[in-house]
Amino acid sequence: PVAASASAPHMVITAGPTREALDPVRYLSNHSSGKMGYALAAEAAAQGARVTLISGPVNLPTPQGVERLNVETAVQMHEASLKLAPQAALFIGCAAVADYRAESAAEHKLKKTDDRDTLTLTLVKNPDIIADVAALPKGQRPFVVGFAAETQNIERYAQDKLARKGLDMIVANDVSQQGLGFGSDDNAALLLWRTPTHNEQLVAPPQPKTQLAALIIQHALKQLSLISSG
Ligand code: C5P
């Protein structure tokens, strides 16, 4: 791999799930493997970028040349992202962030009781990390790439997410397709991005996540250079 030089663009990538404690031994999370985010980090580093990977708990080795910051919760990922993003050229939000966390994690292990068959948990909304990065003021705002995992109306939901979160580009995939997306080594995607006048798109057919990562990084860097030169 190419060693990142001081002038290399700094990329910040979030990956993996977040883990939201319910009590000292239990948590809420999801099935994100982190593979797509790690593939993006590996590819960006191989292309000579300085990469910081903000990672939720996953079972993956840190890619060569990548600086890794481990976090557990959405709040921790939010804090790390907003600290690093203002100095970065590119921010890719690939993490599957839990939408909600327990209003308060119990201090002691929640006990099963004999008198009640139900347990009610109160959850509160987590911050939207990528939307907050995209809302950073000019001069502190990196080029922002988001992901959208959908099971239907992929293009419409992705266009909506691109606009609502204020992103520059979005990578949407159909997670209902067998053998693609969550946990698998392959992925297919629809890349959508904004130009000053309209939105453009590119269809990426099913391919290994490592190959798709290269396409996404190339594409994001190209859009970024068009913006900064333009
Ligand atoms: O709204 P949804 O979760 O589908 O959006 C997905 C995109 O938003 C991904 O890029 C994900 O990393 C990011 N996201 C985030 N913080 C959240 C929820 C999602 O950064 N709390």
Side-chain angles (χ1 to χ4, degrees):
V2 191
S5 73
S7 60
H10 184 200
M11 294 194 196
V12 174
I13 300 173
T14 67
T18 65
R19 196 179 266 186
E20 314 294 332
L22 298 177
D23 70 16
V25 297
R26 303 186 180 94
Y27 56 82
L28 283 175
S29 192
N30 59 64
H31 289 298
S32 169
S33 64
K35 281 179 187 166
M36 191 68 230
Y38 275 59
L40 288 164
E43 179 59 31
Q47 289 195 26
R50 186 159 85 77
V51 184
T52 307
L53 184 57
I54 304 174
S55 178
V58 297
N59 278 312
L60 295 170
T62 307
Q64 218 180 5
V66 169
E67 183 196 349
R68 171 168 163 187
L69 225 131
N70 291 322
V71 296
E72 286 229 334
T73 67
V75 167
Q76 289 166 355
M77 189 175 276
H78 183 257
E79 191 188 325
S81 297
L82 281 144
K83 192 170 156 201
L84 295 175
Q87 288 89 45
L90 183 67
F91 180 90
I92 307 182
C94 197
V97 184
D99 290 326
Y100 295 90
R101 67 178 181 276
E103 186 175 37
S104 57
E107 191 185 338
H108 296 289
K109 189 178 167 192
L110 296 167
K111 287 290 182 201
K112 187 163 55 180
T113 53
D114 288 334
D115 57 332
R116 278 194 307 157
D117 286 338
T118 62
L119 169 71
T120 306
L121 292 168
T122 303
L123 304 179
V124 294
K125 238 189 203 155
N126 270 327
D128 192 314
I129 300 168
I130 206 163
D132 285 352
V133 169
L136 283 168
K138 216 177 158 199
Q140 287 187 31
R141 184 191 181 283
F143 186 86
V144 183
V145 181
F147 274 74
E150 308 292 352
T151 56
Q152 57 175 343
N153 302 328
I154 320 271
E155 187 185 338
R156 187 156 62 82
Y157 287 140
Q159 293 281 13
D160 173 66
K161 219 162 270 184
L162 181 73
R164 189 163 37 86
K165 298 193 186 220
L167 313 178
D168 298 303
M169 179 174 142
I170 194 157
V171 180
N173 44 47
D174 182 349
V175 290
S176 68
Q177 287 188 57
Q178 284 275 319
L180 296 178
F182 269 123
S184 91
D185 289 328
D186 288 5
N187 219 348
L190 173 70
L191 273 61
L192 286 168
W193 65 96
R194 306 195 213 212
T195 74
T197 51
H198 60 287
N199 289 354
E200 289 184 1
Q201 59 173 264
L202 179 85
V203 176
Q207 55 193 297
K209 284 181 178 173
T210 48
Q211 208 175 310
L212 183 61
L215 180 80
I216 294 166
I217 295 289
Q218 272 164 23
H219 205 73
L221 286 175
K222 186 172 148 210
Q223 295 310 313
L224 177 64
S225 73
L226 288 177
I227 290 175
S228 29
S229 65

